[in-house]
Amino acid sequence: MSSLEEPLGLDKLPSMNTIDRIQRFSSGACRPRMDDMGMGSCWIEGRDCSSSNSCSNDYDEFTEDSFPWTRHTRNGSKNNSFNRSSNGGRKDLGAGSICASWYFLDHQYRSKSDEKNMRTTSSKFLRGIPKFVKIVEVGPRDGLQNEKNTVPTAIKVELIRRLVSCGLPVVEATSFVSPKWVPQLADAKDVMEAVRDLEDARLPVLTPNMKGFQAAVAAGAKEVAVFASASESFSKSNINCSIEESLARYRAVTQAAKALSIPVRGYVSCAIGCPVEGSIPPSKVAYVARELHDMGCFEISLGDTIGVGTPGNVVPMLEAVMAVVPADKLAVHFHDTYGQSLPNILISLQMGISTVDSSVAGLGGCPYAKGATGNVATEDVVYMLNGLGVKTNVDLTKLMVTGEFISKHLSRASGSKTAVALCRATADASKI
Amino acid sequence: MKSELEMALASVALAIPGAAAIRDTQYLGVGTQAIGIGIRYSIEHVEVWVGILRPQITSMFVMLGVSQLVIIPANVLRRIQGRALLGSIPRYVKIIEVGPRDGLQNEKDIVPTKVKIELIKMLVSSGLPVVEATSFVSPKWVPQLGDAKDVMEAIQNVEGARFPVLTPNLKGFEAAVAAGAKEVAVFASASESFSKSNINCSIEESLKRYHDVSLAAEKASIPIRGYISCVVGCPVEGKVPPAKVAYVAEKLYEMGCSEISLGDTIGVGTPGTVVPMLEAVMNVVPVDKLAVHFHDTYGQALSNILASLQMGIATVDSSVAGLGGCPYAKGASGNVATEDVVYMLYGLGVKTNVDLGKVMLAGDFICRHLGRPSHSKTATALRTSTAHVSKL
């Protein structure tokens, strides 16, 4: 997968100043040992660094200037074929109750020159953010399976159609977990049948084991997802088996999937905290992520199942996982139970993650804290990404209409603050 | 050129202990000064960044126009990255609790004086260092805070926090001082239209008014906080240029404001617009004199706060239970909830001296009186989380 044909622009090159700093950073403790080099004498010049303690000082120096290189990710190229605009602000909304408050869409708050400036801003905190982020819409599956009201098949299908037409590249359609456990998605087969002809998006489905996998394939699924946990207790209580047993199950699934050229996505739940065990060590998450990756999952979605994470523990977790799984194979799946998902997503983007799971209108409450929210709302994520100048190919206006559609059917208010704000903003400025 | 590069990469790869065959290469760029190349190994993921190589390898790269190359193991790289993202966050953040003022003035129901006082006392006992107590804006405009004098009187002896009050002009300032205020706040806008529609005068006129207040305050040794509204967007004008915000900030700073609070009044900001705005302001006002006041109308407040912390901002305004809806988008939320902010800061290892449990009690108290649920997700989650694990 050589990308020798795609050099970065020269503006991405580090300044000589930075190079000096990096030079100083190349101390002995961080360098591979010379003997192992097999190239005779020291192959990396630089200041001689005798003690390994000085390495930490060098790290600190680094914080002053940003680390100049961002990894060149490949996600963008896959989606170049999409021509949909990402900011549908000025589109004619036609009949519909959504008011045309394009006015407040954040892209209005950046002029053309700002867009350019933002990519070349001296701020190190924005520079590392990927240019394109793939949003994996989990509303029809993760969202609906956690709603107390079951939605009729026709509505589910309409929801999926609408989501696809918003430009979302991936829409998780349903789940082949036994209806005994997830009655809300018992119509999986019928849903798959009805969305067969949808072409513009990928429609993965959850499969808990070989049986579910076979049912999914028979129903026409072209992509599946499996579901492991970083917490032993949660694994046992949620899917009735240990982590190792679940991984063994999924190895069988991935084998079968490979034979049929069906991509498999791996979820890791409790990536930060577990309702039973509390804090989960990053190394555990890295272990499970690596196992899923090695068995053939093309993408690993790291889920903060109970929403307890903050950037303070998301960063060490991502550090550990990204050391063993390439960043472009990772996705983040944050829950907004404590309102922390957007800052967690921001820090993940800054770390180089470029795939984010979210749920239209914030569908799907938290099963552990009654009345508390669960999934982060896709509209809020898209709003933030638009503001950051990140391309998503998602039409925010259409997305909000879709969110309103499903919220009405569930008889509940939208869980998306962006949707609520854009729907009700008045043009008049009232006094503060 | 391609194959020479690949050869060079191959020899570099083999030189690294534990490396097997190259599985994947990414060519990032080449120039006369530096080259960055990503190499992934089948055992460890290693990325190649910029540095200097010895002659054997260097000669190969010099041919390609490269003069520097170094290899850093991926786990080390990640740690640097992580540290850089969190390392600049201040160790201590001061939270300015604006619930009793900014919160209550934007609630449709008026709360009795007794309840306001109890709320303030509960907030102080949670450790919040500053609690904005009330406002001396005319009750004609802000009926919810018509009892400003009574509130001030009742909290005269409450210790443990500072109680700034809003004062729109010299008259309000004098009334505030007479009522016992020891700290005041003034309120300018970065948007001309908003200034005219909100406080009925231009930005320049408002600054003149506040200059008069600042002179009086200086004489009385009373600190002034300066608020700037519409620092990202205005409901009338749309985008607000960072330079405008910097201009108003500098003026407030020059007239003696001890702190400038930058307010995203309609909550439209994201880090993409907040960061350039902060950069502009930080050019003219020292960062330790700045505070951020984000509204959560679009759910963006916490990520904006995170970006601000990364830039070194160490003072954050918030409102218990997210009191105070947005006057511009009916039914939409306004202030960011103190509980959610404290939760995030705690998770970041930042000291606040605030007891989350006690803030939640205060939030619970006021929400019961307002007859509506808390807008704080943290408070909602912590109140109702069950110990049992239910099936997903």
Side-chain angles (χ1 to χ4, degrees):
Chain A
M1 199 168 88
S2 166
S3 56
L4 292 172
E5 300 80 28
E6 292 177 45
L8 277 184
L10 285 176
D11 62 324
K12 288 286 198 288
L13 294 174
S15 62
M16 284 311 292
N17 196 23
T18 314
I19 291 166
D20 278 335
R21 291 171 195 262
I22 295 170
Q23 219 173 311
R24 274 178 273 135
F25 170 78
S26 310
S27 61
C30 302
R31 250 180 279 167
R33 283 197 30 240
M34 294 170 212
D35 307 332
D36 302 329
M37 295 282 86
M39 289 167 55
S41 49
C42 168
W43 58 277
I44 294 183
E45 287 183 24
R47 188 185 64 186
D48 267 3
C49 183
S50 44
S51 82
S52 54
N53 288 340
S54 58
C55 235
S56 52
N57 294 337
D58 290 335
Y59 289 169
D60 288 339
E61 276 180 275
F62 251 96
T63 62
E64 273 192 43
D65 193 353
S66 76
F67 206 80
W69 291 96
T70 63
R71 286 159 308 98
H72 182 51
T73 62
R74 303 271 301 157
N75 290 330
S77 55
K78 253 191 284 192
N79 293 283
N80 285 337
S81 54
F82 286 128
N83 285 324
R84 296 179 206 107
S85 71
S86 53
N87 296 320
R90 290 180 185 261
K91 293 228 175 80
D92 181 8
L93 294 166
S97 54
I98 306 271
C99 55
S101 305
W102 53 266
Y103 197 79
F104 297 103
L105 286 176
D106 193 55
H107 75 271
Q108 289 295 105
Y109 294 91
R110 286 181 294 104
S111 61
K112 271 271 181 299
S113 64
D114 277 355
E115 294 238 19
K116 201 163 46 100
N117 287 341
M118 220 154 50
R119 301 312 301 183
T120 57
T121 180
S122 61
S123 172
K124 53 184 165 174
F125 302 112
L126 297 185
R127 244 198 289 176
I129 294 177
K131 286 205 176 72
F132 179 85
V133 162
K134 178 177 72 181
I135 296 188
V136 175
E137 170 62 44
V138 300
R141 197 278 305 169
D142 194 9
L144 293 184
Q145 89 177 24
N146 281 307
E147 289 285 332
K148 44 181 173 50
N149 301 327
T150 298
V151 156
T153 308
I155 303 296
K156 286 190 179 109
V157 171
E158 180 60 20
L159 172 65
I160 294 172
R161 277 186 197 282
R162 286 180 183 229
L163 289 168
V164 171
S165 79
C166 293
L168 288 157
V170 183
V171 178
E172 221 179 34
T174 186
S175 166
F176 282 83
V177 168
S178 161
K180 204 175 27 162
W181 302 126
V182 184
Q184 295 92 335
L185 303 180
D187 55 0
K189 246 179 48 171
D190 302 327
V191 170
M192 288 313 288
E193 174 75 41
V195 300
R196 257 206 161 144
D197 54 337
L198 284 179
E199 280 186 348
D200 296 324
R202 290 158 35 199
L203 304 170
V205 299
L206 209 64
T207 56
N209 48 34
M210 272 308 286
K211 183 154 154 255
F213 174 75
Q214 283 154 353
V217 172
K222 301 214 175 37
E223 193 169 319
V224 299
V226 295
F227 206 87
S229 178
S231 152
E232 193 66 51
S233 322
F234 189 76
S235 188
K236 294 223 176 80
S237 82
N238 198 39
I239 53 179
N240 278 318
C241 63
S242 71
I243 298 178
E244 284 308 323
E245 283 167 357
S246 73
L247 292 174
R249 270 186 213 173
Y250 301 144
R251 276 189 205 102
V253 172
T254 48
Q255 279 257 46
K258 211 187 303 194
L260 296 171
S261 301
I262 288 182
V264 181
R265 183 188 220 222
Y267 278 99
V268 181
S269 62
C270 296
I272 305 281
C274 164
V276 182
E277 288 182 15
S279 239
I280 299 293
S283 54
K284 202 63 194 282
V285 186
Y287 168 74
V288 178
R290 188 183 196 165
E291 289 296 308
L292 290 170
H293 178 248
D294 289 348
M295 76 172 69
C297 290
F298 77 96
E299 188 168 89
I300 319 288
S301 173
L302 306 166
D304 178 13
T305 307
I306 48 175
V308 290
T310 64
N313 41 24
V314 166
V315 164
M317 183 274 289
L318 287 178
E319 280 174 0
V321 176
M322 285 163 86
V324 297
V325 177
D328 60 340
K329 301 250 184 294
L330 293 173
V332 287
H333 185 118
F334 292 116
H335 279 183
D336 207 38
T337 319
Y338 290 74
Q340 309 295 313
S341 55
L342 281 183
N344 289 339
I345 290 172
L346 176 65
I347 204 102
S348 305
L349 295 174
Q350 290 172 327
M351 294 279 289
I353 301 286
S354 58
T355 305
V356 175
D357 296 0
S358 61
S359 177
V360 64
L363 291 183
C366 179
Y368 302 97
K370 211 164 71 111
T373 59
N375 288 301
V376 62
T378 308
E379 297 94 315
D380 298 353
V381 175
V382 171
Y383 185 89
M384 180 170 81
L385 293 176
N386 284 350
L388 286 166
V390 173
K391 291 216 176 317
T392 58
N393 287 335
V394 176
D395 182 327
L396 179 56
T397 312
K398 282 192 182 158
L399 184 61
M400 279 169 21
V401 175
T402 305
E404 202 185 320
F405 162 77
I406 189 65
S407 298
K408 217 174 349 135
H409 276 277
L410 287 166
S411 305
R412 51 159 263 181
S414 173
S416 157
K417 286 195 166 179
T418 297
V420 170
L422 285 174
C423 256
R424 317 229 195 136
T426 58
D428 301 328
S430 12
K431 303 272 190 273
I432 280 199
Chain B
M1 181 160 151
K2 204 162 149 179
S3 60
E4 275 166 8
L5 183 56
E6 280 178 323
M7 265 174 52
L9 291 176
S11 56
V12 166
L14 290 172
I16 295 190
I22 297 179
R23 193 158 77 157
D24 183 13
T25 66
Q26 283 186 335
Y27 175 66
L28 293 186
V30 74
T32 53
Q33 288 185 352
I35 181 173
I37 305 171
I39 303 179
R40 295 214 199 86
Y41 295 78
S42 54
I43 291 182
E44 292 273 37
H45 296 287
V46 173
E47 281 156 305
V48 180
W49 301 98
V50 175
I52 298 180
L53 279 189
R54 270 293 177 178
Q56 296 95 314
I57 296 295
T58 304
S59 59
M60 264 187 268
F61 285 92
V62 165
M63 276 195 301
L64 306 169
V66 174
S67 58
Q68 299 168 32
L69 179 76
V70 89
I71 294 173
I72 300 177
N75 57 340
V76 170
L77 181 66
R78 294 292 157 232
R79 272 206 303 279
I80 299 170
Q81 215 176 0
R83 221 169 288 213
L85 292 173
L86 297 180
S88 52
I89 293 179
R91 287 200 211 291
Y92 173 81
V93 162
K94 179 176 68 179
I95 295 187
I96 310 283
E97 170 60 47
V98 299
R101 196 278 304 169
D102 194 10
L104 292 184
Q105 89 177 22
N106 282 307
E107 290 284 331
K108 46 180 173 51
D109 299 322
I110 297 188
V111 158
T113 309
K114 234 175 6 124
V115 173
K116 285 191 180 110
I117 295 164
E118 182 60 23
L119 172 65
I120 293 173
K121 288 191 174 152
M122 289 179 84
L123 290 168
V124 173
S125 78
S126 73
L128 287 158
V130 182
V131 177
E132 220 178 36
T134 186
S135 167
F136 282 83
V137 168
S138 161
K140 205 173 28 162
W141 303 124
V142 185
Q144 295 90 335
L145 304 180
D147 55 359
K149 250 180 46 178
D150 302 327
V151 170
M152 287 314 287
E153 191 172 343
I155 61 173
Q156 273 304 295
N157 299 320
V158 177
E159 285 190 348
R162 292 160 33 202
F163 298 115
V165 299
L166 212 62
T167 56
N169 47 36
L170 201 49
K171 185 158 152 248
F173 173 78
E174 284 159 358
V177 172
K182 302 215 173 40
E183 197 170 321
V184 299
V186 295
F187 206 86
S189 177
S191 150
E192 194 64 53
S193 323
F194 189 76
S195 187
K196 293 221 177 79
S197 82
N198 197 42
I199 52 180
N200 279 319
C201 63
S202 71
I203 297 178
E204 283 308 321
E205 286 166 358
S206 73
L207 290 174
K208 232 168 38 126
R209 268 187 215 174
Y210 300 146
H211 186 65
D212 295 340
V213 173
S214 72
L215 289 174
E218 200 182 343
K219 251 200 220 109
S221 301
I222 287 184
I224 305 188
R225 180 184 223 226
Y227 277 100
I228 306 183
S229 60
C230 296
V231 297
V232 176
C234 164
V236 183
E237 287 181 12
K239 174 174 172 51
V240 175
K244 203 62 195 281
V245 186
Y247 169 76
V248 179
E250 189 169 21
K251 285 271 171 283
L252 289 171
Y253 179 58
E254 281 169 355
M255 74 171 72
C257 288
S258 57
E259 190 168 87
I260 319 279
S261 173
L262 306 165
D264 178 13
T265 308
I266 49 175
V268 290
T270 64
T273 42
V274 164
V275 166
M277 181 273 294
L278 287 176
E279 282 175 341
V281 175
M282 283 162 67
N283 270 337
V284 295
V285 178
V287 67
D288 59 328
K289 299 268 182 281
L290 294 174
V292 288
H293 185 117
F294 292 118
H295 280 182
D296 205 37
T297 319
Y298 290 72
Q300 308 295 312
L302 280 182
S303 44
N304 289 338
I305 291 172
L306 176 65
S308 307
L309 295 172
Q310 287 175 327
M311 306 253 322
I313 298 285
T315 306
V316 175
D317 297 359
S318 61
S319 177
V320 63
L323 289 183
C326 178
Y328 302 96
K330 211 163 72 109
S333 58
N335 288 302
V336 64
T338 304
E339 297 94 315
D340 298 354
V341 173
V342 170
Y343 185 88
M344 180 171 81
L345 292 175
Y346 183 74
L348 285 167
V350 173
K351 288 209 181 326
T352 57
N353 288 339
V354 175
D355 181 327
L356 178 57
K358 292 193 175 150
V359 178
M360 279 171 48
L361 284 176
D364 217 28
F365 167 76
I366 190 65
C367 286
R368 252 180 297 129
H369 273 276
L370 289 167
R372 66 158 179 80
S374 173
H375 284 167
S376 157
K377 288 196 166 179
T378 296
T380 308
L382 285 175
R383 189 181 305 121
T384 59
S385 67
T386 57
H388 303 292
V389 171
S390 21
K391 299 269 189 272
L392 239 185

